[in-house]
Amino acid sequence: MDPEQVDEFVMGYLKKKGFNSAAKQLQEALHYNNGGTFNSTDYHNDPELTKLIRSFSQSENDPTRYRDGYSKLRSWAYNSLDLYKHELLRVMYPVFIHCYMDLVGKGHTQEARSFFNSFRRDHEMIHLRDLQKLEGVLVPSHLEEMEFARSLRQSKVNIKICQYSYDLLLQYLHRTESTLMLGIINEHINFQVYSGQPNSSSDDIDAVTIVGSFQETADHVNQKEIQWGLLEDSLEDRLEKTGSLLSDSEKGQGESKDGDIDDSKKRSNEIGKQGSSLKKLKKDKAGNATAKVARQETSIVSPAPRVKPELALPVMSTDVEESILEDLRNRVQLSSVAMPSVSFYTFVNTHNGLNCASISHDGSLVAGGFSDSSIKVWDMAKIGQAGSGALQDESDTNDQNVGPNSRRNYTLLLGHSGPVYSATFSPPGDFILSSSADTTIRLWSTKLNANLVCYKGHNYPVWDVQFSPFGHYFASCSHDRTARIWSMDRIQPLRIMAGHLSDVDCVQWHPNCNYIATGSSDKTVRLWDVQTGECVRIFIGHRSMVLSLAMSPDGRYMASGDEDGTIMMWDLSTARCITPLMGHNSCVWSLSYSGEGSLLASGSADCTVKLWDVTSSTKLTKAEEKNGNSNRLRSLRTFPTKSTPVHALRFSRRNLLFAAGALAKPAS
C-alpha cells in the first residue's frame, strides 16, 4: 500500500469515527505538503478500507481489553522491587477509575460492574468514599450528570515519581504494547519526575494530587488578597500598650483559678481537684525559666498586622472585658519545654448516644449533644458538690446522679426533633447554640435554661455551628453543601457560602471575624469573606473528608484534621501546606491552638490527645523551603485515655487545656 493510500485510509477512518476536526487538520496538512487539493476516495464502498476500519473498531470496542490490560499492569506493579513498588502503585488508582468510566461510557455496564468489583479492594483503604460515589455511575448519562464523575473526567492527576520508576513504567508499556493503558496514562496522568532515589511512601503528602479545571480555579481564587491580621484596638493590643503583665510566679498562681467562675465555685470543688491544682501550681513555679524561654521564642516572630472589622461587632460589657483582661494577664506561657495542664471530662453511661461535646471558655460548663435530640449541660461547681467527677447520662440510676431532692446534676434542654450534631458556647458562656438533623439551629440561655430562638434556613442536617470570637454572629454548615452566616437577632441567614462539592462538615471563624473557614467531604478547605460571601482561598491536599479546623491566635495559620488522622497546617496568605502532622490513626475530631499560638492540641477517635510544637514548623530555612521537607512539626507529647475517644478540645484564655469525650467499651 503506497503512502497516498495510507493517507486516504486514515482520512476515511477519521471521518467515519466522527473526528471531523482531526480530519480537517489532516486535510489542510496534506494540501500544504502536496500543493493541491486532497481527493478523498469513496471510503464507504472501499472493501480494503472497510476491512481495516472494522478491525480497528472491533479491537476498540472489546471490553475485555480493559480487564486484561489493567490486570497485567497490576501484576507487574505488585511484583516490582520494593524500593520502587509504592511509586508504581500510585498509577493504579487513576488508571482503575478511568478504565471503569470508559467502560460505562461505551455502554458496557455489566463488564464495568465486574471490573469494578474485581479490583476495588486494592483501593478501599485510601479511596473508600470515592469508590462509593463511583459505584453509583451506572450508565453513560451519569458521567455528565454526576458532578463528581464529571470532575474526574475533566481533571488530571499529578504523580511524583523518580526517574528510574518512570523509565521502568515506560519500558513495560512499550514492551507489552499496552496501547490502551498507555493512552489512559497519557490522557489522565501528569508525571513529575525527579532524580535520585524514591521517597518513602509516607514522606510526601503531595505525591498524588488532582489538577485540571478545579486546580486552575483554585489557583485563580488563591491569588486574591486577604487581610489575615488581628483587629485594631483589640484587648491584646491594650494589654501590650499598658504593659500590665504579671510575673511568671503570679501567672502560676492565677492558673490555679482557671476553670472556675469565682472563688465560691472554686471552694466547692472536690478535694482531689484542689490537690491537682496544688501540684500544677508547683509545676508552674518550677517552670519559670522555661516560660521565659518561651517568651523569647514568641518575640522573634513578627507581630501580626492590624486590620479593621468588616462586621459591626457587638459592644463588650465592662465585666466581661475585665474578666478577659485578667485571664490574659494570668496566661501561662507555653512552649516545647513548658507543657500545659490538661483537664479531661469523661461522659459515662452514654450508650453510644453522645454525638458532640462543648466546653465553655473558662471550663465551668460542659455540654453534650445526644442522638435522642437532647442537650445536657453540666456545671462543674455542682459536679464538685455532688462528689462525682464523671458526667453521667440520665439513663444511669446511680445515687450520684440523683440528688436528695431527686434533681439531676445537669440541665436538660429539649427542643430538637432529631440527633444533635453540634453545640457551642458563646464567649461569655451565657448562650449555647446547637445544630441538629432536623435542619434547625437553636439558641439556648444558660441562665434561663430555655430555648430562645429557632433558626431555619438549611435544607438538610446541620453538621456544625460555631460562635464568632466576639459573640452575636455565628456560622453553620450542612449536608446541603453550604455554610451560612447568622446573627442572633435575625432568623434568616446574612450570607450563604456555596461552592463545596459535597457536605460541609466543619466551620471555624478567623480571629478577626472577617473570614470563616469550612472543611468538607470533598477533601478541601475553603476560606470565605463574611462581608461579600466570596471564596478567597481553596486549600487542596487532604485525602479524606475534613472533620476539624483551628485558627492560630495571630490569624496567620490554620490547622485542619481529616478522617484518616492526618493534620495539615496551612499558611493563609499563600494557601500552601506548611507541613502535614502524622501521628493519629483515626479521625481527628478536634483541634485547638494555645493562647500564644506556640502549641497545637489534637483530639482523635484513637482515644488520644496529642500536643504539637508549632513554632518549629513555621521557622523554615531556605533549604527546607526549596526541598519541600515535610514532617517538620514534631509531636511533643501524647496523652492516652483508657477508652475514651476525644470529642472536644479547648485551650482556656489562661492556657489550661480542657478535653471531653464519652467512655466507650474497649474492643474485645
Side-chain angles (χ1 to χ4, degrees), residues 90-298:
R90 292 172 185 167
V91 179
M92 300 311 301
Y93 177 67
V95 172
F96 169 75
I97 59 176
H98 285 291
C99 283
Y100 174 70
M101 289 191 290
D102 282 356
L103 284 169
V104 171
K106 294 180 178 180
H108 304 299
T109 305
Q110 294 298 326
E111 291 81 358
R113 300 304 304 165
S114 175
F115 174 83
F116 186 84
N117 293 329
S118 297
F119 301 109
R120 67 174 295 170
R121 289 187 179 180
D122 294 345
H123 313 288
E124 284 183 341
M125 181 70 71
I126 300 177
H127 304 285
L128 178 60
R129 291 190 175 273
D130 288 352
L131 294 177
Q132 290 172 344
K133 294 177 183 177
L134 275 178
E135 208 168 10
V137 179
L138 301 175
V139 294
S141 60
H142 289 171
L143 295 173
E144 294 299 325
E145 294 170 358
M146 294 180 64
E147 195 169 7
F148 177 72
R150 189 170 66 251
S151 65
L152 285 178
R153 299 270 279 184
Q154 295 173 353
S155 302
K156 281 195 171 187
V157 178
N158 268 350
I159 296 181
K160 287 186 178 180
I161 191 170
C162 75
Q163 183 67 52
Y164 192 73
S165 298
Y166 181 69
D167 292 340
L168 286 176
L169 179 62
L170 288 184
Q171 289 173 13
Y172 166 79
L173 293 172
H174 289 295
R175 185 179 69 252
T176 58
E177 297 183 355
S178 303
T179 54
L180 181 61
M181 296 297 106
L182 181 61
I184 292 175
I185 291 173
N186 279 337
E187 186 176 357
H188 299 290
I189 299 178
N190 287 332
F191 288 104
Q192 296 178 342
V193 182
Y194 62 91
S195 58
Q197 293 296 316
N199 296 326
S200 67
S201 57
S202 61
D203 270 356
D204 196 349
I205 199 71
D206 297 323
V208 180
T209 55
I210 295 178
V211 297
S213 57
F214 180 69
Q215 181 67 47
E216 293 171 3
T217 302
D219 291 340
H220 176 72
V221 168
N222 293 340
Q223 298 299 318
K224 298 177 182 178
E225 184 180 357
I226 64 169
Q227 304 292 329
W228 55 265
L230 299 179
L231 291 180
E232 296 176 346
D233 197 31
S234 63
L235 293 179
E236 288 83 356
D237 278 349
R238 297 183 204 174
L239 206 61
E240 289 178 5
K241 291 176 182 177
T242 58
S244 54
L245 296 175
L246 298 181
S247 66
D248 291 328
S249 59
E250 289 174 320
K251 287 180 182 179
Q253 294 169 358
E255 170 73 7
S256 64
K257 294 192 290 184
D258 207 340
D260 304 306
I261 296 179
D262 50 32
D263 290 338
S264 62
K265 287 188 177 181
K266 185 180 72 174
R267 287 193 294 270
S268 69
N269 285 341
E270 65 273 13
I271 297 175
K273 199 168 185 178
Q274 293 175 351
S276 64
S277 298
L278 291 174
K279 291 179 182 178
K280 174 158 55 71
L281 176 59
K282 293 178 182 178
K283 180 180 177 182
D284 291 334
K285 287 183 176 180
N288 286 345
T290 57
K292 291 178 182 177
V293 173
R295 192 180 299 110
Q296 291 174 358
E297 287 183 358
T298 55

